Amino acid sequence: MAATALIDHSPHHPAPAAPLANASNLILIDNYDSFTWNVYQYLVLEGASVTVYRNDEITLKDLIALNPTQLVVSPGPGHPDNDAGISTSAIEYFGGKIPVLGVCMGEQCIFAAFGGRVDVTGEILHGKTSPLTHDGKGVYAGLPQDLPVTRYHSLAGTHASLPECLEVSSWISGGPDGGKGIIMGVRHKDLLVEGVQFHPESILTAEGRIMLKNFLRMRGGTWTENAKFQKEDATDSKNTSEVNGASQGNSKESILEKIYRHRKQSIAAQKEIPSQRPSDFQKLYDIDVAPPLVSFRERLRKSPYSLSLLAEIKRASPSKGPIAMSICAPVQARKYAMAGASVISVLTEPEWFKGSLDDLKAVRQSLEGMPNRPAVLRKEFIFDKYQILEARLAGADTVLLIVKMLEKPLLEWLYKYSQELGMEPLVEVNTLEEMEIAVALGAQVIGVNNRDLTNFEVDLDTTSRLMNGVPKDTIVCALSGISGPKDVRAYQSHGVGGVLVGEALMKAANVTTFVSELLGGTDSKSLDNSKHPMLVKICGTRSPEAAKAAVEAGADLIGMILVEGRKRCVPTSTALAISRVVHQTSNSSMPDSKIDTMLQSSKATDFFDHSTSSFARKSRALLVGVFQNQPLSYVLEQQRLLNLDIVQLHGSEPLEWAKLIPVPVLRRFGPNDAGLATRGYHSMPLIDTVAGGTGQKVDIMSVTKRLGLDPGLRVILAGGLTPDNVESVIKAAQTRQGSVIGVDVSSGVEEDGIQSLDLIKSFIGRVKGQ
């Protein structure tokens, strides 16, 4: 039957392949199974010339006389010892002479032919699909892991009787032998003989035709001979391209193909590492340790500019070489976020782009606790759902799927899997045909790469040309080659939703200025902490009268020591009286805070800028309870009893407590202490000495050095402050306007160990310029 007369009834409908010269006489032994037709169909569609013989209607002698180019043994009912006819003896004869493949019972025949035992598995499967784990060799070359494969069997080869000459090539994860469950495939270690227990010919098996295609490419009787033939074929192909200039461009490996090949090798090796195996990643995901997601699609719709910005972290590229090799990914990410990026793209390919998954993890961690944070994109050459799960666990909100490098079935499979993990992918296209594939896929966000990945040439008009036919609700982003405002003007009128910028941003002297000039306009709702009045905290308050005087003088925070044994500790009755005064005393002199406007901003806001709003009230001061190394249960009880607005932790309490306390947490640190700038826990760091309230000064040089390392860090400063020195200390400590948002005083407003109302008023006046 001619190949063109066959119809592929799988969902993919590919065109028949050209006839294969090396598969001109393939013999298929039929073990009386209806699936034999499907096997035949797939083989013919892939270019083989196939003749079928029932297992009891031809002798081995007659079969030898036919001189087959390949032998395939079909599925069938029963046991290979009793119901396979000539199958086992044919395998024994042709093994080592020509390529041999067994399917289902055919695989069991291979197992039995070399001395193994086929026995019941304990389960009867009829049309069940299971995720397949494989070794990436033989028929599985180039295929992703966890492929859904269709199973019709109750028998299988046993691990205990596996012949020494065979190796397990695929399996269902879980069970004996180091995680290998039921054997799904075997391969002879020397002879070119391979078997699969499942049905690659079933329409429910992913990449089944590719498996059979891989088999048909094999030549010789041994794996050594096959490797030699493959090498010769590659050399012949190269020579042909050098002689015939017209074919040279088609046979030369493109940059994309080379990167793809290298990544497949790297990922295959990575999967063998304990803790990084697919099963390890799945267990991590199952216990929900993956960081929280933001919606990629919805975040793209929020931008302070007319176009959303996808800002890329890229150290190098194949076309440009090194771009910014010394860049610190999380530092750059925060710059992008504060400049208004809706998405931060992190390249994780290590050879050509000099990225890593560690970059992505660090970027995600640097955005922790940031209100309206950008979505994080893993920019990678993804071909395996392993990479998608790896990205999700590392903190990605979305991944890139490149249509050019993925066959339709694989693209669809990866797209759906990404959605299952809560991540809407960015689907990349470069041609009209690829755009049609992306639209048919239902992609909600499509990126048009202005750079052709086969030769890395850039055409900025590519995006505009492909806009026709894109559904109205689909977000289209222009990728690559954008370096200035002139490059984006046309996109605004053509309905493009976002632009990805990498190299130009990495080289920009000032990221915020560059982005504003590139996309136009600024976000008027962004926070400027330098314009907010300095906060004042009066600590060690021991009487309602002192609290009232401090509030009326303009104090923003009133602190009570609740640590037994400390000289300023107040009893519960006094603490309740102070609480009532603070909550009932209004302060009309407090200026309206502008901080809450950040919550309406379409830009991201640094965590400490956002948490500053917890310390600013329009109508009254806030009550702070100070604790030191006391049980969490006691802290929670006192917070409820005294109606504390803020809890201050002054000891060695775990950072995680801040997430368990229902009000903002002010936490003491020395200027060089670890965790001071960690986002997402304490609302604000308080820089002070360990004891506190002793009048001992903090080393201001250490404070300024620490603040200089992190532009987003905000602190309240304490330690030896008095009305006489507070202005000079603030001036010395401020590395930039807004880095010190408040000051805390205790002993500096006391006389003979007693709070002085005059000193309190003087201190507040000096700070606030009253």
Side-chain angles (χ1 to χ4, degrees):
M1 183 181 294
T4 54
L6 293 174
I7 298 175
D8 182 0
H9 292 286
S10 73
H12 318 313
H13 300 290
L20 294 173
N22 69 301
S24 59
N25 187 26
L26 187 152
I27 300 298
L28 172 59
I29 296 178
D30 176 17
N31 283 305
Y32 286 83
D33 194 277
S34 61
F35 266 112
T36 302
W37 161 250
N38 300 68
V39 176
Y40 171 87
Q41 180 191 39
Y42 273 22
L43 291 169
V44 173
L45 281 169
E46 289 302 332
S49 178
V50 182
T51 305
V52 182
Y53 292 93
R54 288 278 173 86
N55 66 18
D56 57 357
E57 293 183 351
I58 188 171
T59 65
L60 179 61
K61 182 179 179 180
D62 292 336
L63 188 58
I64 295 171
L66 291 173
N67 193 26
T69 53
Q70 291 96 354
L71 176 70
V72 177
V73 181
S74 84
H79 195 283
D81 290 348
N82 307 315
D83 305 295
I86 196 178
S87 298
T88 302
S89 57
I91 292 169
E92 292 172 342
Y93 178 84
F94 286 104
K97 298 178 176 67
I98 60 173
V100 176
L101 175 68
V103 178
C104 199
M105 179 187 274
E107 185 264 3
Q108 296 171 9
C109 290
I110 292 173
F111 206 92
F114 293 100
R117 188 180 78 254
V118 175
D119 207 345
V120 294
T121 64
E123 55 182 347
I124 300 175
L125 300 171
H126 190 82
K128 174 182 173 60
T129 59
S130 301
L132 184 77
T133 304
H134 58 78
D135 62 7
K137 304 173 185 176
V139 297
Y140 309 111
L143 297 182
Q145 294 293 341
D146 298 324
L147 287 167
V149 297
T150 312
R151 300 166 61 189
Y152 290 82
H153 69 106
S154 60
L155 304 174
T158 61
H159 285 279
S161 70
L162 179 70
E164 178 62 28
C165 63
L166 298 183
E167 60 184 2
V168 176
S169 58
S170 63
W171 60 92
I172 302 301
S173 294
D177 195 21
K180 294 181 180 179
I182 295 175
I183 295 174
M184 285 288 105
V186 292
R187 181 184 305 115
H188 199 284
K189 294 178 180 178
D190 299 313
L191 310 181
L192 209 165
V193 176
E194 185 157 12
V196 296
Q197 176 63 70
F198 56 91
H199 289 255
E201 74 282 5
S202 169
I203 64 171
L204 297 180
T205 295
E207 311 297 357
R209 281 193 56 182
I210 294 180
M211 296 177 197
L212 295 178
K213 182 177 182 179
N214 284 340
F215 169 72
L216 291 175
R217 289 174 176 170
M218 300 173 187
R219 296 171 62 190
T222 66
W223 295 109
T224 300
E225 290 176 356
N226 178 64
K228 181 181 178 181
F229 279 120
Q230 300 303 323
K231 185 176 181 179
E232 289 175 354
D233 288 346
T235 302
D236 291 342
S237 176
K238 180 180 179 181
N239 291 338
T240 299
S241 68
E242 291 174 350
V243 172
N244 183 359
S247 63
Q248 184 173 0
N250 294 330
S251 60
K252 183 179 179 181
E253 185 179 41
S254 70
I255 296 176
L256 176 61
E257 290 168 337
K258 189 173 184 179
I259 295 173
Y260 187 11
R261 176 166 54 81
H262 280 226
R263 293 304 287 147
K264 286 198 293 184
Q265 294 170 351
S266 176
I267 294 299
Q270 181 180 321
K271 289 179 180 180
E272 300 298 321
I273 302 172
S275 81
Q276 297 189 49
R277 297 168 298 191
S279 58
D280 297 321
F281 283 176
Q282 187 60 49
K283 289 174 184 175
L284 291 175
Y285 183 76
D286 289 343
I287 63 173
D288 210 16
V289 299
L293 286 166
V294 299
S295 169
F296 169 52
R297 185 169 181 266
E298 293 307 312
R299 189 61 183 86
L300 274 173
R301 295 191 181 280
K302 298 176 183 177
S303 174
Y305 310 106
S306 57
L307 290 176
S308 292
L309 173 64
L310 295 84
E312 187 156 271
I313 295 173
K314 178 166 65 173
R315 293 191 179 89
S317 76
S319 59
K320 297 295 180 67
I323 295 172
M325 296 296 290
S326 62
I327 206 75
C328 176
V331 171
Q332 190 76 355
R334 284 181 179 167
K335 290 179 181 179
Y336 288 167
M338 302 310 293
S342 297
V343 178
I344 296 177
S345 170
V346 185
L347 274 153
T348 60
E349 193 283 324
E351 291 186 71
W352 283 268
F353 294 91
K354 308 304 179 186
S356 71
L357 198 70
D358 287 337
D359 281 339
L360 190 144
K361 292 177 181 177
V363 165
R364 176 62 181 85
Q365 189 174 359
S366 74
L367 305 177
E368 185 66 31
M370 183 179 287
N372 203 26
R373 72 166 176 84
V376 178
L377 162 69
R378 183 183 189 183
K379 190 87 172 291
E380 175 62 277
F381 299 86
I382 288 178
F383 52 86
D384 192 328
K385 79 174 197 177
Y386 172 88
Q387 297 167 284
I388 298 176
L389 182 55
E390 180 185 44
R392 176 71 185 88
L393 291 169
D397 301 293
T398 182
V399 295
L400 178 72
L401 298 179
I402 304 173
V403 174
K404 189 180 294 296
M405 65 175 274
L406 300 171
E407 294 189 4
K408 286 184 185 179
L410 181 56
L411 174 65
E412 293 170 0
W413 186 50
L414 295 176
Y415 180 80
K416 291 176 181 177
Y417 179 70
S418 182
Q419 287 184 317
E420 289 173 7
L421 299 187
M423 300 189 296
E424 177 63 33
L426 172 63
V427 179
E428 178 185 308
V429 304
N430 176 253
T431 66
L432 180 59
E433 180 183 5
E434 292 171 6
M435 177 64 85
E436 291 171 348
I437 292 172
V439 171
L441 183 68
Q444 298 178 38
V445 184
I446 298 175
V448 180
N449 199 339
N450 295 314
R451 177 176 282 114
D452 186 337
L453 290 179
T454 59
N455 55 29
F456 272 65
E457 294 180 357
V458 175
D459 179 0
L460 289 176
D461 292 331
T462 304
T463 300
S464 299
R465 286 198 302 269
L466 300 186
M467 289 299 295
N468 293 334
V470 177
K472 183 178 180 181
D473 293 336
T474 301
I475 300 174
V476 176
C477 301
L479 316 179
S480 297
I482 298 167
S483 59
K486 60 181 175 53
D487 297 329
V488 302
R489 291 187 189 116
Y491 297 146
Q492 293 171 327
S493 60
H494 291 162
V496 173
V499 291
L500 185 144
V501 185
E503 180 184 349
L505 268 175
M506 295 293 284
K507 293 180 176 180
N510 185 300
V511 169
T512 300
T513 300
F514 178 87
V515 171
S516 182
E517 292 174 352
L518 178 74
L519 300 178
T522 58
D523 188 354
S524 61
K525 294 178 180 177
S526 298
L527 175 68
D528 184 356
N529 259 327
S530 65
K531 297 179 181 178
H532 183 73
M534 186 73 62
L535 299 175
V536 176
K537 174 173 173 272
I538 303 297
C539 201
T541 304
R542 280 161 282 175
S543 70
E545 294 77 19
K548 185 175 180 64
V551 172
E552 291 177 343
D556 303 282
L557 307 164
I558 305 298
M560 302 185 297
I561 306 300
L562 301 173
V563 185
E564 291 188 11
R566 297 286 295 273
K567 66 179 182 179
R568 296 182 179 87
C569 180
V570 294
T572 300
S573 58
T574 303
L576 286 168
I578 293 173
S579 177
R580 285 192 293 269
V581 167
V582 173
H583 284 86
Q584 293 172 5
T585 303
S586 62
N587 188 347
S588 58
S589 65
M590 287 185 177
D592 288 345
S593 172
K594 305 296 183 184
I595 295 175
D596 287 342
T597 59
M598 79 178 73
L599 301 177
Q600 305 165 19
S601 174
S602 51
K603 280 186 181 180
T605 308
D606 192 280
F607 173 77
F608 290 124
D609 279 339
H610 167 71
S611 59
T612 301
S613 62
S614 302
F615 296 84
R617 291 284 180 88
K618 297 179 181 179
S619 59
R620 68 169 179 87
L622 300 178
L623 183 64
V624 182
V626 181
F627 302 87
Q628 187 176 41
N629 298 327
Q630 292 152 286
L632 177 61
S633 58
Y634 178 77
V635 175
L636 296 175
E637 178 187 351
Q638 292 297 300
Q639 188 277 321
R640 290 190 295 267
L641 176 65
L642 303 176
N643 196 16
L644 300 176
D645 297 304
I646 294 171
V647 164
Q648 178 176 324
L649 300 177
H650 210 85
S652 56
E653 298 87 354
L655 291 186
E656 291 85 353
W657 278 20
K659 291 191 173 183
L660 304 175
I661 296 171
V663 294
V665 170
L666 184 64
R667 195 183 193 284
R668 189 214 70 83
F669 291 92
N672 299 316
D673 286 352
L676 183 150
T678 301
R679 270 71 165 177
Y681 295 92
H682 44 277
S683 297
M684 192 64 58
L686 170 74
I687 295 184
D688 196 0
T689 59
V690 175
T694 63
Q696 181 182 349
K697 294 181 180 179
V698 170
D699 181 9
I700 296 300
M701 291 295 291
S702 296
V703 173
T704 56
K705 182 179 179 180
R706 186 68 184 84
L707 291 174
L709 294 174
D710 187 343
L713 181 58
R714 307 286 178 260
V715 301
I716 294 177
L717 189 61
L721 299 179
T722 69
D724 294 331
N725 69 12
V726 65
E727 292 176 280
S728 60
V729 170
I730 292 173
K731 184 177 180 180
Q734 289 271 35
T735 56
R736 68 189 61 79
Q737 286 297 102
S739 56
V740 176
I741 68 159
V743 289
D744 183 341
V745 65
S746 180
S747 62
V749 292
E750 294 179 348
E751 290 181 333
D752 299 324
I754 299 173
Q755 282 184 309
S756 166
L757 302 187
D758 289 337
L759 288 178
I760 289 174
K761 293 177 182 177
S762 175
F763 185 89
I764 295 171
R766 292 289 183 90
V767 174
K768 295 183 178 287
Q770 297 171 350

